[in-house]
Amino acid sequence: MAVAVKLLRGCCHCGSLSRTSLAAKELLSRTAVGSVVLQTRNNTRIMERVYPLPVGKDGGRPDRSQMNELYKILREVEIVKYPEEIQCILTDFVEGVGIRGDVVTVKRDFFHEELFPAGMAVYASPDNIEEFEEERKAKGIDKAETRLGVFARMTMKELSNMHLEIPLSDSSDWTLCKRHVQVAFRIQGVEVEEDCLELPEEAVTEFQDVTINVWINGLESVPVSATIVPISEKFPPTKK
Amino acid sequence: MEKVKIRHFMPSIKMYKDMVQHEVTYFQYHNNTRFTISSRLIKTPGLWVNHWRSVPYVYRWSPEEERILPEHYKNSCREFMTKEPEPVHWRPDPQKYWEDIDSGQRFPVINAPIPVVYPKECNTGLWGGEGIIFGYFTKVDPKRQKKLPTRPRIWLPELMKRVLYSEILDRYMAIMITARAQYLIDEAFGLDNYILQTHEVDLCSRLAMTLKREMLLALANKSLYSDNPVKKEKIYKKYEKFVIPAEEAEWIGLPMYEAVEKAKALEEELYPPQPLKDLYLVDLVRRLKLSASAS
C-alpha cells in the first residue's frame, strides 16, 4: 500500500517540476523541506457514496457482480472534530495552572505532551477525583482559599526574583524599620502591608545588604534580597 | 534551458510481488479501476472476512492445526474474522427507505461500509479504527461554478507520536497514534482501560493485542509491581473485572504461526514420541512367542 501511495506522489512531482531545470529543482526541494509546517489534524472524515448502492439479490448488500465504478465516487458528509480541551487533576504545582489536587481544564496537547508524561497530572476519572478528595480531607484542608493558589505562587516567584533598594538618608542617623521597607517596596511597584514584613533580628544602622522575609497570606515566607543605599545616590538632586 | 527527461515509472514483476502485502477485498474484483491494488487471493475456503471489510492481519489454519489448537483461541479468531467493526468513516442510516425526489419512488436503504484499507503499518501503532480511504472524488470549482473531472483520490489518516503510559505494565511507550485513538484513550481514562475494554476488531492492530496479552498475563499471574505490595493490590482491584485465567491469557492475540508452534510444543510434552526401537522390540517378542507356541 505504501508503495502505491509513493507512486502517486512521485507522479505529481514529475508533473509539477518537469519544466524547471535541475538546479531549480534542488532549490525548490530544499525550500520545501524548510517550510513544512507539521500541524496535526484533530478530526476524522466521514464519507458517503454519491450514488446509493443497489439492492442485493437477497435484499441485503449487493454482490460483486452488481458493483460498479460509480459506487466508488465519494463525498465528505461530515468532519468530526474532537474537543480541544481536557479536564485533569494536577499532582504537583504547575505555574499558571494550579496546585496539587486542583481539577482544571487545559489544552489537550499541553496535557498529552507536557503534563501527563512528566507525571504532573492524571485523568479526572471518578476514582481519581474521589482519591484526591479523601487526601484533601485527611490533610484537614476545608476550602481552596486557605491554601496558596496560583496567583500567590506567581507573586512569590516575582518577589524572590526581585532586588530591593531601600533609600535612606546619609546625613542623619537612623535604624531600619518596617515603614522604610514598605516605602521602598512601593517605589518598586509592590504594595505590602507592614504586618507581612519581617526584618532581621539585629538592628540595622549602616548601609549594607540585608534579607527581608515577606509573609504571604500568613502561611509561607519569601526571602527578598535588599540593599540600603543613600538617598542622594538613588535620587540625585537636580541642578537648577 | 536544459531539457529534463520524464521517466514514467513502471514497476517490474519483482516489485509488484513486493507490493503484495495486504488483503484488499474491495478493489480486486473490479478490473476497470484506474488504480489497481495488487493483493493476495485466499485459496482456503470457509472462514474469511466478508467482501466489505479489510483487515491488517488474518487468522487461517489448516485441518491438522485445528486438532491441536485450543478451543478458546479458535473462538477468538473466528470472532475476529466474522464480527463487524464499529463504523468510523461512515454513518449507518437509521431509516429503512429513501425517497427519490424526481420520481417519488421509495428504495430500501443499504448500509454498507465505504472502502477503507488497513495497511500493515497499522500493526505498529494505534489507529483507533481509522484507515486509508480509496475512492473517486469530484471537485467543484467555486469560481466557475463548475464540476471538475472526477479523479481517484486517497484520504490518509494523520499520525502523531505520543508518549503513552500503561499503569499495569508501569511502562512509558512512544507510539504512533491518530487523534481518534487519543480521544478514545481519554474517554476510557487511560491506555489500559481502552485496550482491555475494546474488542480486537476495533483495535485493529497487532501492537494493541500484544499489550493486551501482556496486561492480562500480568493480572493473572499478579506479577505487577513486585516491589510495592500496596500499589499492587490497588491496581489489581482497579482492573479486577478484566481478569481471566493465565492459560487463556497466554494465547490472546497470538499470530497464527506462533500459536501453532506453541500448540505443537504442548502436544509433544503431553504425548512424547515413542522411539521405534521399543515398538520393534515388543513386536519381536510377540512374534518369537507365537513361533515358540506354534512349534
Side-chain angles (χ1 to χ4, degrees):
Chain A
M1 196 43 50
V3 179
V5 172
K6 264 182 203 166
L7 276 179
L8 271 178
R9 278 183 181 166
C11 287
C12 294
H13 280 294
C14 279
S16 60
L17 296 173
S18 59
R19 281 170 206 162
T20 52
S21 66
L22 278 172
K25 212 173 175 179
E26 271 189 347
L27 231 171
L28 263 175
S29 66
R30 260 184 222 162
T31 48
V33 167
S35 62
V36 162
V37 181
L38 285 171
Q39 198 175 19
T40 46
R41 191 158 49 71
N42 190 21
N43 54 39
T44 303
R45 287 160 201 281
I46 290 183
M47 312 290 286
E48 184 192 53
R49 288 185 178 82
V50 173
Y51 301 101
L53 285 174
V55 189
K57 278 161 193 165
D58 57 344
R61 291 169 182 175
D63 278 358
R64 276 164 215 157
S65 57
Q66 287 172 284
M67 289 301 288
N68 193 330
E69 283 293 281
L70 286 178
Y71 301 129
K72 287 174 217 162
I73 301 178
L74 302 177
R75 178 207 286 155
E76 276 178 3
V77 190
E78 198 185 327
I79 293 176
V80 180
K81 281 192 178 175
Y82 300 114
E84 283 190 1
E85 287 183 341
I86 189 174
Q87 215 176 28
C88 63
I89 309 172
L90 298 177
T91 56
D92 200 353
F93 165 68
V94 183
E95 202 188 327
V97 182
I99 55 172
R100 185 182 166 83
D102 276 0
V103 182
V104 290
T105 44
V106 292
K107 287 270 179 189
R108 197 169 274 266
D109 279 6
F110 180 58
F111 175 71
H112 287 129
E113 284 166 10
E114 313 259 333
L115 294 180
F116 188 69
M120 293 163 101
V122 291
Y123 287 105
S125 65
D127 294 351
N128 282 344
I129 288 175
E130 210 171 273
E131 196 181 302
F132 275 86
E133 196 83 342
E134 277 175 18
E135 188 194 298
R136 188 174 65 90
K137 277 174 188 171
K139 278 188 178 176
I141 305 162
D142 296 335
K143 281 180 185 177
E145 285 91 59
T146 54
R147 299 171 297 166
L148 292 183
V150 181
F151 191 75
R153 295 278 172 187
M154 280 160 72
T155 318
M156 278 168 72
K157 203 188 173 190
E158 192 89 344
L159 285 178
S160 63
N161 285 339
M162 82 186 273
H163 185 78
L164 198 66
E165 280 185 348
I166 308 171
L168 285 176
S169 159
D170 43 359
S171 55
S172 57
D173 291 344
W174 45 260
T175 46
L176 190 71
C177 69
K178 285 183 179 178
R179 182 75 183 155
H180 294 150
V181 182
Q182 194 189 12
V183 171
F185 266 116
R186 199 194 295 150
I187 289 164
Q188 298 217 3
V190 183
E191 286 233 353
V192 193
E193 284 180 17
E194 279 188 30
D195 307 341
C196 313
L197 297 171
E198 192 183 304
L199 299 182
E201 286 176 9
E202 295 171 8
V204 182
T205 49
E206 290 173 359
F207 295 107
Q208 63 183 54
D209 288 357
V210 286
T211 48
I212 289 152
N213 284 335
V214 182
W215 283 87
I216 291 180
N217 293 3
L219 291 170
E220 278 189 56
S221 66
V222 195
V224 181
S225 62
T227 41
I228 304 169
V229 290
I231 200 161
S232 56
E233 262 183 40
K234 177 95 176 168
F235 304 106
T238 50
K239 286 172 187 174
K240 283 181 183 177
Chain B
M1 206 170 138
E2 201 182 339
K3 269 190 180 177
V4 179
K5 223 178 183 181
I6 305 166
R7 276 175 58 209
H8 290 282
F9 184 75
M10 178 61 79
S12 64
I13 293 168
K14 203 188 167 194
M15 288 180 80
Y16 262 124
K17 275 181 183 171
D18 288 347
M19 284 190 217
V20 176
Q21 294 169 354
H22 316 299
E23 318 280 354
V24 181
T25 48
Y26 191 86
F27 284 97
Q28 68 191 10
Y29 300 102
H30 312 303
N31 298 321
N32 298 330
T33 41
R34 274 190 265 174
F35 51 88
T36 52
I37 300 157
S38 54
S39 64
R40 137 181 89 168
L41 280 166
I42 291 139
K43 295 287 167 56
T44 334
L47 205 64
W48 173 229
V49 291
N50 66 18
H51 165 57
W52 302 93
R53 251 184 87 194
S54 153
V55 283
Y57 58 92
V58 288
Y59 294 114
R60 279 174 290 156
W61 62 94
S62 62
E64 287 172 15
E65 289 156 5
E66 170 117 17
R67 193 174 52 79
I68 53 171
L69 287 171
E71 198 59 36
H72 56 83
Y73 177 70
K74 278 187 285 182
N75 281 341
S76 71
C77 292
R78 281 186 201 115
E79 209 167 284
F80 173 75
M81 300 294 263
T82 50
K83 206 191 168 201
E84 293 248 328
E86 267 185 28
V88 178
H89 284 296
W90 64 290
R91 285 269 163 81
D93 195 348
Q95 285 181 335
K96 269 199 168 182
Y97 298 93
W98 64 276
E99 202 175 318
D100 191 10
I101 300 162
D102 296 340
S103 61
Q105 257 185 311
R106 286 210 309 168
F107 299 101
V109 168
I110 285 141
N111 280 325
I114 57 156
V116 180
V117 169
Y118 298 104
K120 72 171 182 184
E121 283 76 12
C122 253
N123 291 331
T124 58
L126 298 174
W127 290 20
E130 277 191 52
I132 304 170
I133 306 171
F134 283 81
Y136 296 106
F137 189 65
T138 327
K139 211 176 173 185
V140 178
D141 191 355
K143 270 189 187 172
R144 291 186 290 169
Q145 293 282 309
K146 205 179 170 188
K147 274 184 182 177
L148 295 170
T150 309
R151 38 183 82 243
R153 203 181 142 174
I154 297 168
W155 288 268
L156 296 163
E158 199 137 319
L159 299 170
M160 47 195 179
K161 206 168 196 173
R162 280 280 161 84
V163 175
L164 303 178
Y165 176 66
S166 163
E167 216 169 15
I168 296 172
L169 305 173
D170 193 19
R171 191 195 295 163
Y172 285 91
M173 292 164 284
I175 300 178
M176 294 296 263
I177 56 169
T178 57
R180 185 184 152 81
Q182 182 67 271
Y183 173 73
L184 289 174
I185 289 169
D186 291 350
E187 288 290 289
F189 301 122
L191 181 71
D192 307 75
N193 269 326
Y194 167 66
I195 283 185
L196 293 173
Q197 281 171 13
T198 319
H199 196 267
E200 190 178 355
V201 175
D202 299 319
L203 284 173
C204 207
S205 113
R206 276 241 185 269
L207 174 78
M209 291 315 289
T210 316
L211 288 175
K212 198 175 201 171
R213 184 169 63 243
E214 281 182 25
M215 284 172 192
L216 286 173
L217 263 176
L219 285 175
N221 298 333
K222 283 204 170 187
S223 59
L224 49 146
Y225 294 100
S226 52
D227 52 338
N228 191 349
V230 179
K231 192 151 193 186
K232 182 180 185 173
E233 268 196 18
K234 190 183 152 195
I235 300 286
Y236 185 80
K237 225 175 198 178
K238 198 174 171 186
Y239 299 101
E240 207 170 15
K241 56 185 171 180
F242 300 113
V243 174
I244 55 165
E247 295 136 24
E248 281 184 35
E250 278 176 7
W251 290 84
I252 276 181
L254 273 185
M256 189 47 79
Y257 67 93
E258 277 184 26
V260 166
E261 268 178 27
K262 201 173 176 177
K264 275 180 183 170
L266 274 178
E267 189 84 353
E268 273 199 5
E269 261 185 34
L270 280 175
Y271 310 104
Q274 213 171 353
L276 282 175
K277 67 175 183 184
D278 293 1
L279 292 176
Y280 289 145
L281 191 68
V282 172
D283 197 42
L284 184 65
V285 169
R286 189 179 55 84
R287 271 193 289 150
L288 283 174
K289 272 182 186 172
L290 271 177
S291 61
S293 66
S295 63

